[in-house]
């Protein structure tokens, strides 16, 4: 699908800004770099304003007559609601430290993709309408009238931000462009400027329980299908229940896990693991989605979609919740859920029934990340692992932006990795852990019409993968985010061909030695394991990785 | 160049002040009225701005975590980069405010032969730190004009600052580091294309203003002919501080200009980006603990939204759920 573009061509990035100032440089909607509009049906289902047929490339966006008042009023409301927004409007000194931290700027050279300038698009209007200096001195202090062109520019650039927050890490005041992007997108939505890749999954999720719009029986089918697959692979018939009342744990995954490739291998991994330890858990078809596209849309949508998880936990009478591998999902679950839809006082503080470990870090939300859960199992020696079963993989780990920068989940997946594979190589410093680079497609931008921008945005990540591929022969990029798994294959094919993308729990599932498994079991992709003899000799030579944290 | 406007505005203001002091002899205006007004506006302005920010709530905990969370007991948490308690938050904020921690992380991305190279880039950090600290020392040193007797600590700072004495008068290191740092901050705005592109008049203006303040200060102190009568200056300043203002005769115009520029800075401060000084303390990505799963935080403006309840869902998909053999609440 990336035949249109060539790496040599996209890697040639010109960082010279145009001769004209940014306010005088018009924004041209470039094909391949923006997303299509939301279809009216989805907009209507969510009850959002101004459902209509339109495209961002149209001249007339068919906005309501009073669109300007709506936006400015919306801005006023949000300035009163969020200190973050108000503060970030006022304190930027334009030092430029954030400029080359954005994957889109690195990959495109477009100066409006410098986080500072992206935010200035918003700030200019703020100054014009909400500050005395802006009202008096106008453009001299960087104020700008909210015109239709300015609004279109907002649309273009605020849907060229994956809300990965890498810039906020380097900002001396912690200015978080994601906050500004989130608010700008809320405002755009008030006048009906939504993109389909966000609104349709959100509408699906509200209706059916998951982004893909899979109805209850379809979800059940997927789970049954996975049970059968796992039986073929391991010779073991695992139990997997859906909507079962009285289970101890509700398990919520991003819905791509039971459909997508390579997500699905991770899904098999979870199920194998839970079977092996005998966890009393259930899936829910009603809450069959952990991901939350509301985060990229609006406070209200986020809250509406998130409601199901606690509601279902209560309905099923579980004690606590485990969440699967997903990036933005964990930003919502970690930083928002308890405030949005808590208190979860009908649940118990999570205690692993296998190890007895009490997850005090999830004392209030009662929701544990699967990497935390599995790391604990491994540490307490509760599962038998054969690392050599992953010897076909030379693995590197991609920290997903949100678990890394919005949660601090850095060591748990590494601990798991070091225990399930022999060859784990880190990408270079500055591209991992809290400084990790986005896949280039987060925050609802993973569409194919946006492919050029995705590949450009994926350049820094792809480049780091290429580095370890050349240096260590890495052939798997392991990650713990559904959007990563969906969009990094294209990024890797383009920038580091030959590297596959896989899930953390795929590797766990591969290494897991299950009681009663058939002697000729394969890995979760159905491939036979490398012979243990060959791997032994190799393992002696290349053994790496620190086993202690 | 956008900066030129700022320069012209500042030069016009300087001319105005020189004209007022030298030709028109408006010493009371420039020596008493404007400084009092400036200080009042400075204090009121800062309070107003901070209160205005503080009145908007922080509905969600959104710290940018820059290190390992506190999770399992055997995993070493990084309480400074991902604070889990108040001490961690305090430590993180101290690192941020005293040492510009986030800026210290700064890197530079370059593309060479289709590869991205990341290099350390501490110049901005160094320049910023040098500017802020020398500015602080200079302000502290100025207290010797405001206080009688001069406290020991201020004398100590002054002596340390003048340690590299090369003649009379004592050369203060900070004066020149300050001018160098501000000059660097200005030059990088002009030289680095991206930074030039994002710079507004309101970015150049404070730099020119600080350069002018520093330059007038240095001229008064080190240049014969421009030097002012320090005893008279102190007499006048102490009068101002004690609300007993009087114009002391015989102070050179350079002093009035310096005082005027400082007044300008005080007035400009609360209405400009210089408020980052106050704002950095309030930044929700930095001053919150990463404990949102441990403790519930309340959104003060929360309101209910219409979701899709289990009952509605079951009603909509009843036959399909039944057909798939899944449990139902209502048959």
């Amino acid at each position: 699908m990336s035949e249109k573009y060539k790496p040599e061509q996209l890697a040639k990035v010109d960082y010279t800004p145009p001769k004209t100032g940014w306010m005088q440089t018009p924004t041209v909607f470039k094909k391949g770099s923006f997303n299509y509009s939301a279809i009216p049906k989805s907009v209507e289902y969510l009850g959002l304003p101004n459902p209509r047929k339109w495209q961002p490339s149209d001249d007339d966006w068919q906005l309501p007559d009073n669109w300007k008042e709506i936006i400015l009023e919306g801005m006023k409301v949000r300035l009163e609601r969020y200190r973050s927004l108000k503060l970030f409007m006022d304190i930027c000194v334009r030092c430029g430290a954030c400029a080359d931290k954005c994957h889109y700027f690195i990959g495109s050279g477009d100066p409006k993709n410098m986080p500072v300038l992206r935010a200035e698009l918003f700030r200019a209007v703020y100054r014009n309408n909400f500050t005395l200096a802006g009202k008096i001195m106008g453009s001299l202090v960087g104020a700008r009238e909210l015109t239709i062109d300015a609004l279109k520019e907002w649309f273009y650039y605020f849907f060229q931000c994956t809300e990965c927050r890498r810039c906020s890490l380097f900002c001396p005041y912690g200015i978080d462009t994601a906050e500004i992007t989130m608010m700008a997108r809320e405002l755009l939505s008030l006048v009906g400027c939504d993109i389909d890749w966000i609104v349709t999954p959100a509408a699906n999720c509200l209706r059916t329980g998951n982004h893909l719009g899979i109805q209850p029986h379809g979800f059940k089918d997927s789970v049954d299908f996975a049970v059968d697959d796992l039986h073929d692979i391991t010779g073991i018939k695992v139990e997997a229940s859906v909507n079962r009342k009285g289970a101890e744990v509700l398990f919520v995954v991003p819905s791509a896990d039971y459909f997508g490739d390579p997500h699905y291998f991770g899904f098999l991994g979870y199920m194998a693991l839970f079977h092996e330890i005998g966890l009393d858990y259930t899936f829910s078809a009603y809450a069959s989605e952990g991901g939350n596209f509301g985060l990229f849309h609006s406070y209200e949508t986020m809250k509406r979609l998130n409601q199901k998880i606690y509601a279902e936990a209560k309905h099923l009478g579980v004690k606590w919740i485990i969440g699967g591998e997903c990036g933005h999902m964990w930003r919502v679950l970690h930083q928002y859920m308890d405030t949005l839809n808590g208190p979860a006082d009908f649940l118990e503080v999570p205690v692993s029934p296998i190890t007895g470990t009490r997850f005090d870090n999830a004392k209030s939300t009662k929701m544990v990340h699967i990497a935390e859960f599995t790391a604990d199992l491994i540490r307490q020696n509760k599962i038998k692992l054969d690392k050599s079963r992953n010897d076909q993989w030379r693995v590197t780990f991609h920290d997903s932006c949100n678990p890394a920068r919005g949660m601090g989940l850095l060591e748990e997946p590494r601990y798991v990795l070091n225990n399930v594979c022999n060859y784990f190589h880190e990408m270079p410093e500055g591209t991992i852990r809290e400084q990790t680079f986005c896949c280039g497609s987060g925050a609802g931008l993973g569409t194919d019409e946006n492919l050029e921008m995705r590949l450009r945005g994926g350049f820094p990540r792809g480049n780091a993968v290429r580095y370890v591929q050349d240096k260590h022969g890495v052939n798997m990029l392991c990650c713990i985010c559904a959007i990563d798994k969906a969009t990094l294959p294209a990024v890797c094919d383009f920038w580091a061909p030959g590297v596959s993308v896989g899930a953390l729990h795929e590797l766990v599932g591969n290494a897991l030695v299950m009681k009663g498994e058939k002697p000729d079991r394969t890995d979760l992709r159905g491939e036979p394991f490398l012979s243990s003899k060959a791997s032994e000799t190799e393992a002696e030579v290349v053994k790496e990785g620190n086993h202690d944290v | 160049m956008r900066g030129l406007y700022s320069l012209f505005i500042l030069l016009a203001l300087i001319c105005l002040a020189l004209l007022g002091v030298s030709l028109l002899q408006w010493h009371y205006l420039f020596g008493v009225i404007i400084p009092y007004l400036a200080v009042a506006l400075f204090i009121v302005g800062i309070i107003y701005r901070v209160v205005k920010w503080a009145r908007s709530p922080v509905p969600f905990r959104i710290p940018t975590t820059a290190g390992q969370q506190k999770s399992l007991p055997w995993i070493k948490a990084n309480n400074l980069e991902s604070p889990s308690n108040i001490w961690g938050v305090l430590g993180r904020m101290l690192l941020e405010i005293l040492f510009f921690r986030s800026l210290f992380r700064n890197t530079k991305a370059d593309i060479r032969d289709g590869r991205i190279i990341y290099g350390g880039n501490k110049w901005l950090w160094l320049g910023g730190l040098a500017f802020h600290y020398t500015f602080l020392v200079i302000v502290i040193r100025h207290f010797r004009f405001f206080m009688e007797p001069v406290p020991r600590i201020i004398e100590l700072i002054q002596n340390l600052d003048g340690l590299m004495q090369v003649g009379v008068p004592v050369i203060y290191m900070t004066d020149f580091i300050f001018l160098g740092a501000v000059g660097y901050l200005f030059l990088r705005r002009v030289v680095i294309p991206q930074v030039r592109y994002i710079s507004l008049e309101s970015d150049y203006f404070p730099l020119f203003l600080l350069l002018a303040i520093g330059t007038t200060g240095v001229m008064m102190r080190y240049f014969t002919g421009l030097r002012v009568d320090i005893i008279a200056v102190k007499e006048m300043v102490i009068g101002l501080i004690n609300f007993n203002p009087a114009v002391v005769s015989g102070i050179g115009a350079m002093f009035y200009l310096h005082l005027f520029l400082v007044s300008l800075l005080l007035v400009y401060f609360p209405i400009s980006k210089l408020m980052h000084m106050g704002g950095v303390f309030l930044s929700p990505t930095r001053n919150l603990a990463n404990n949102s799963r441990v403790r519930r935080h309340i959104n003060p403006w929360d309101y209910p939204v219409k979701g899709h309840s289990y009952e509605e869902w079951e009603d909509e998909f009843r036959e399909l759920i039944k057909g798939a053999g899944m449990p139902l609440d209502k048959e």
Side-chain angles (χ1 to χ4, degrees):
Chain A
M1 70 181 174
S2 53
E3 278 159 10
K4 247 177 91 182
Y5 308 104
K6 296 269 169 289
E8 312 80 65
Q9 162 214 344
L10 291 197
K12 264 195 214 106
V13 187
D14 183 7
Y15 293 120
T16 326
K19 293 262 179 293
T20 46
W22 67 263
M23 285 197 200
Q24 287 77 42
T25 311
T27 290
V28 182
F29 278 61
K30 202 173 148 210
K31 215 162 165 48
S33 300
F34 65 89
N35 291 1
Y36 296 153
S37 63
I39 55 170
K41 200 178 129 208
S42 303
V43 177
E44 273 158 19
Y45 189 80
L46 288 173
L48 301 173
N50 202 9
R52 70 206 181 283
K53 270 207 158 101
W54 70 291
Q55 279 307 338
S57 47
D58 295 347
D59 277 338
D60 181 9
W61 281 18
Q62 305 168 57
L63 301 178
D65 291 337
N66 60 340
W67 68 267
K68 204 167 155 178
E69 286 84 72
I70 296 175
I71 299 258
L72 292 175
E73 178 56 30
M75 207 185 224
K76 182 166 168 267
V77 169
R78 279 154 190 81
L79 287 164
E80 281 159 13
R81 278 187 189 166
Y82 295 95
R83 186 183 302 164
S84 51
L85 181 66
K86 209 187 234 178
L87 198 72
F88 296 163
M89 288 293 106
D90 287 336
I91 61 172
C92 175
V93 301
R94 287 166 293 278
C95 69
C98 58
D100 59 352
K101 307 305 177 286
C102 175
H103 50 283
Y104 282 136
F105 176 68
I106 296 174
S108 75
D110 183 343
K112 285 175 190 166
N113 274 324
M114 293 191 270
V116 47
L117 204 40
R118 197 191 311 279
E120 286 290 305
L121 302 177
F122 197 98
R123 278 192 201 109
V125 175
Y126 162 79
R127 285 191 206 107
N128 192 59
N129 292 282
F130 295 91
T131 69
L132 189 64
K135 280 176 187 159
I136 298 169
M137 291 185 280
S139 72
L140 211 58
V141 290
R144 187 194 211 189
E145 186 82 25
L146 178 60
T147 60
I148 187 73
D149 288 331
L151 188 83
K152 288 183 176 180
E153 194 171 45
W154 275 19
F155 182 90
Y156 195 66
Y157 287 103
F158 287 115
F159 285 105
Q160 269 182 27
C161 167
T162 51
E163 304 180 351
C164 78
R165 304 169 95 219
R166 190 169 189 265
C167 51
S168 90
L169 182 75
F170 295 89
C171 174
Y173 320 114
I175 295 174
D176 182 2
T177 308
E179 283 290 286
I180 297 164
T181 295
M182 285 159 80
M183 298 306 145
R185 288 183 176 190
E186 282 198 27
L187 296 181
L188 285 165
S189 175
L190 292 180
V191 292
C193 298
D194 293 300
I195 65 167
D196 198 54
W197 217 69
I198 288 175
V199 165
T200 293
N204 283 339
C205 191
L206 190 68
R207 178 164 171 262
T208 63
N210 58 70
H211 294 154
L212 303 171
I214 296 158
Q215 298 182 358
H217 61 301
F219 177 70
K220 179 79 169 41
D221 278 353
S222 300
V223 173
D224 290 345
F225 194 79
V227 169
D228 289 344
D229 261 0
L230 214 46
H231 183 233
D232 290 345
I233 292 167
T234 63
I236 294 169
K237 191 93 181 165
V238 305
E239 291 277 333
S241 56
V242 179
N243 287 18
R244 175 166 61 89
K245 284 191 180 174
E248 181 174 355
V249 174
L250 170 64
F251 183 42
V252 181
V253 300
S255 57
D257 278 8
Y258 47 88
F259 257 78
D261 178 346
H263 315 60
Y264 181 68
F265 308 122
F267 189 66
L268 295 177
Y270 305 142
M271 288 169 66
L273 176 72
F274 289 168
H275 168 85
E276 187 59 22
I277 60 174
L279 185 72
D280 176 18
Y281 78 103
T282 183
F283 290 106
S284 160
Y286 166 65
S288 48
E289 178 66 72
N292 191 324
F293 274 44
L295 179 71
F296 325 139
H297 183 268
S298 65
Y299 159 77
E300 289 190 16
T301 310
M302 172 166 58
K303 187 171 156 112
R304 288 169 90 184
L305 302 185
N306 178 257
Q307 267 177 359
K308 293 184 184 189
I309 297 178
Y310 277 152
E312 185 66 343
K314 196 170 189 174
H315 170 244
L316 296 177
V318 300
K319 287 186 185 160
W320 55 286
I321 312 166
I322 296 181
E325 297 179 10
C326 188
H328 297 93
M329 158 177 163
W330 272 98
R331 172 108 197 270
V332 175
L333 301 179
H334 183 78
Q335 295 197 324
Y336 292 92
M337 176 158 79
D338 213 4
T339 305
L340 286 174
N341 291 311
D345 47 10
F346 49 89
L347 297 172
E348 291 173 14
V349 175
V351 174
S352 170
I354 293 89
T355 63
T357 299
R358 200 177 122 108
F359 290 92
D360 277 319
N361 63 326
K363 201 159 65 185
S364 185
T365 57
K366 278 91 170 177
M367 187 144 186
V368 172
H369 193 288
I370 183 126
E372 296 167 342
F373 181 75
T374 305
D376 173 58
L377 289 175
I378 296 174
R379 176 78 179 188
Q380 314 292 339
N381 275 320
K382 297 294 178 189
I383 47 178
K384 197 173 168 214
L385 296 165
D386 178 358
K387 288 166 131 188
S388 70
R389 289 180 171 188
N390 278 313
D391 278 356
Q392 72 272 37
W393 299 119
R394 292 177 184 257
V395 184
T396 192
F397 182 66
H398 165 70
D399 290 272
S400 314
C401 303
N402 285 292
R405 277 185 290 269
M407 195 174 172
L409 185 92
L410 305 172
E411 293 299 345
E412 293 87 345
R414 285 180 169 76
Y415 180 79
V416 174
L417 267 180
N418 277 319
N419 281 283
V420 298
C421 66
N422 279 316
Y423 311 113
F424 168 46
H425 306 276
E426 291 276 16
M427 284 181 276
E429 226 181 295
T431 69
I432 50 166
R433 296 180 185 261
E434 71 277 2
Q435 299 198 11
T436 185
F437 271 108
C438 183
C439 57
S441 314
L445 307 182
T447 67
D448 282 352
E449 70 258 22
N450 195 32
L451 188 63
E452 177 176 340
M453 213 54 210
R454 281 173 49 191
L455 293 173
R456 286 185 181 280
F459 183 28
R461 173 43 78 230
N463 207 252
V465 174
R466 182 67 189 264
Y467 179 84
V468 281
Q469 184 188 24
D470 290 349
K471 195 168 172 194
H472 303 290
V474 159
N475 59 2
M476 173 180 275
L477 178 63
C478 172
C479 54
I480 49 169
C481 165
I483 291 183
D484 287 340
K485 290 168 200 163
T487 64
L488 281 174
V491 169
C492 287
D493 280 350
F494 193 77
W495 295 112
V499 177
S500 305
V501 176
L504 181 65
H505 278 78
E506 174 186 350
L507 299 178
V508 172
N510 284 347
L512 187 70
V513 179
M514 299 176 77
K515 286 185 270 307
E517 65 182 15
K518 60 181 185 185
D520 59 340
R521 76 155 279 198
T522 62
D523 72 9
L524 295 177
R525 297 189 185 208
E527 303 288 331
F529 296 123
L530 284 185
S531 78
S532 52
K533 196 160 182 270
S535 57
E536 261 168 33
T537 41
E538 259 184 84
E540 290 304 314
V541 186
V542 206
K543 205 159 196 171
E544 262 203 31
N546 185 359
H547 294 246
D548 294 307
V549 174
Chain B
M1 193 183 87
R2 293 192 77 121
L4 280 177
Y5 291 109
S6 303
L7 189 61
F8 288 142
I9 291 171
L10 187 66
L11 286 176
L13 287 165
I14 288 174
C15 290
L16 198 75
L18 284 175
L19 196 75
V21 174
S22 302
L23 270 173
L24 302 170
Q25 300 288 315
W26 286 347
H27 290 165
Y28 200 78
L29 176 69
F30 284 94
V32 178
I33 298 177
I34 290 179
Y36 270 145
L37 209 62
V39 172
L41 285 173
F42 178 73
I43 293 169
V44 172
I46 286 192
I47 294 172
Y48 175 78
R49 287 297 290 278
V50 170
V51 168
K52 203 173 161 195
W53 287 330
R55 280 173 59 169
S56 289
V58 180
F60 301 105
R61 297 252 136 176
I62 51 162
T64 308
T65 53
Q68 174 60 37
Q69 65 166 346
K70 185 173 188 297
S71 61
L72 295 158
W74 46 272
I75 292 180
K76 196 174 175 298
N78 187 338
N79 204 27
L80 283 175
E81 302 279 21
S82 185
S84 57
N85 55 31
I86 184 71
W87 299 112
V89 170
L90 281 175
R92 185 179 200 190
M93 290 304 286
L94 281 177
L95 281 181
E96 204 60 77
I97 286 154
L98 298 181
F99 304 110
F100 303 1
R101 171 72 184 101
S102 295
L103 203 52
F104 185 73
R105 241 188 285 267
N106 200 16
T107 54
K108 192 174 179 342
D110 266 327
I111 297 187
R112 267 176 237 152
D113 308 325
R115 295 263 165 142
I116 312 173
I117 316 281
Y118 305 93
N121 183 10
K122 304 239 186 299
W123 288 107
L124 178 58
W125 171 79
L126 195 67
L129 207 68
F131 157 62
H132 283 87
Y133 270 103
T134 52
F135 196 19
L136 180 69
V137 170
I138 291 170
V139 169
I140 292 174
R141 268 208 278 107
H142 274 65
F143 275 78
R144 72 187 186 279
F145 297 119
F146 311 157
M147 298 165 120
E148 191 56 57
V150 179
R152 286 296 306 271
I153 179 78
I154 288 169
E155 280 184 350
L156 186 73
I157 288 172
Q158 192 178 327
N159 290 340
L160 279 174
D161 197 358
L163 216 56
M164 310 245 291
Q165 181 164 7
V166 280
V168 183
V170 173
I171 303 271
Y172 291 129
M173 289 180 267
T174 49
D175 286 348
F176 297 95
I177 301 175
F178 173 82
L179 288 176
V182 178
Y184 164 75
L185 293 176
F186 166 71
L187 278 180
R188 72 182 286 280
R189 276 203 189 278
V190 183
V191 172
I192 304 173
Q194 281 81 27
V195 184
R196 186 169 62 230
Y197 200 66
I198 55 176
S199 295
L200 299 170
E201 276 87 347
S202 47
D203 296 315
Y204 290 108
F205 184 73
L207 289 173
F208 289 136
L209 187 55
L210 288 165
L211 272 178
I213 290 171
T215 310
T216 50
V218 162
M219 282 160 86
M220 259 193 293
R221 181 172 169 78
Y222 301 105
F223 288 73
T224 16
L226 293 169
R227 234 179 265 167
V228 291
D229 181 351
I230 290 288
I231 308 292
V233 167
K234 181 151 183 176
E235 195 183 327
M236 182 156 165
V237 172
I238 288 193
L240 286 172
I241 301 264
N242 293 325
F243 293 101
N244 187 17
V247 170
V248 179
S249 61
I251 310 180
M254 198 50 76
F255 165 73
Y256 286 99
L257 182 58
H258 188 67
L259 188 61
F260 174 70
L261 291 169
V262 171
S263 303
L264 210 57
L265 181 68
L266 292 177
V267 175
Y268 185 70
F269 198 97
I271 58 167
S272 69
K273 68 167 193 176
L274 301 184
M275 277 304 288
H276 67 267
M277 185 185 94
V280 66
F281 291 90
L282 292 179
S283 186
T285 55
R286 294 288 185 272
N287 68 7
L288 296 171
N290 176 26
N291 64 355
S292 29
R293 274 192 293 158
V294 182
R295 245 185 58 199
R296 179 155 194 258
H297 303 283
I298 307 294
N299 173 2
W301 49 260
D302 193 25
Y303 52 88
V305 294
K306 174 79 186 69
H308 189 65
S309 71
Y310 177 83
E311 290 72 26
E312 289 166 316
W313 179 83
E314 190 179 290
D315 285 346
E316 187 171 346
F317 298 108
R318 185 172 315 283
E319 291 312 312
L320 295 169
I321 298 169
K322 206 168 165 181
M326 284 189 283
L328 283 162
D329 276 6
K330 279 186 286 182
E331 283 301 324

